[in-house]
Amino acid sequence: MTSRKMAEDQDIGDIEGPNMIFITAKFRIKPEYAETWPEITREFTEATRGEPGCLWFEWSRSLDDSTEYVLVEAFRDGDAGAAHVQSDHFATAQRTLPPHLVETPRIVNAVLEQDDWSLLGEMAVQG
């Protein structure tokens, strides 16, 4: 489900307090592009990070599979998520990124009743 589809399906205005759209997506990259994926996605990443409603947009590489990258992103609300998927840089990414992929990326997205990262209290650092 895209951010826009999720925003259409869920009225996050009904949630009390701060909220955000939180998305995690896994991208399996063709082996010949795995090392250069950060550069391939640089313009898209920088443009997305510059969106007023983007809270974060961060890539990580799997420790178990060098061809898998994980994208963790968050938007302040449904309007910000919709603006992201309607942006020119998103349309460009839809055309330019898939030729570098092994398969369609997998995604999990949710509306969360918070507006930033929470602390993992079970692993609190003492001191």
Side-chain angles (χ1 to χ4, degrees):
M1 178 184 308
T2 65
S3 297
R4 178 181 4 177
K5 179 69 175 143
M6 185 180 62
E8 291 169 356
D9 288 349
Q10 297 178 333
D11 183 4
I12 65 174
D14 291 341
I15 299 173
E16 293 183 24
N19 56 65
M20 67 177 163
I21 294 176
F22 184 83
I23 301 165
T24 303
K26 289 187 173 190
F27 291 74
R28 289 204 45 236
I29 313 305
K30 291 180 180 175
E32 62 268 29
Y33 301 115
E35 294 301 318
T36 56
W37 185 249
E39 184 58 35
I40 291 166
T41 60
R42 185 171 312 285
E43 284 184 34
F44 176 55
T45 298
E46 290 175 359
T48 301
R49 288 177 177 166
E51 294 174 18
C54 180
L55 299 175
W56 59 79
F57 194 86
E58 302 171 355
W59 292 96
S60 297
R61 194 170 189 181
S62 171
L63 296 176
D64 298 323
D65 180 352
S66 65
T67 66
E68 183 178 79
Y69 283 81
V70 177
L71 176 61
V72 179
E73 55 188 303
F75 297 90
R76 71 170 147 55
D77 56 26
D79 290 341
H84 171 62
V85 298
Q86 294 169 4
S87 69
D88 290 340
H89 54 272
F90 190 89
T92 298
Q94 286 180 294
R95 289 189 311 274
T96 61
L97 298 185
H100 301 93
L101 303 176
V102 171
E103 63 189 13
T104 301
R106 293 170 289 143
I107 186 170
V108 173
N109 58 27
V111 175
L112 302 180
E113 294 183 41
Q114 61 190 73
D115 61 358
D116 202 352
W117 290 94
S118 300
L119 295 178
L120 179 59
E122 294 82 359
M123 294 192 183
V125 175
Q126 304 298 318

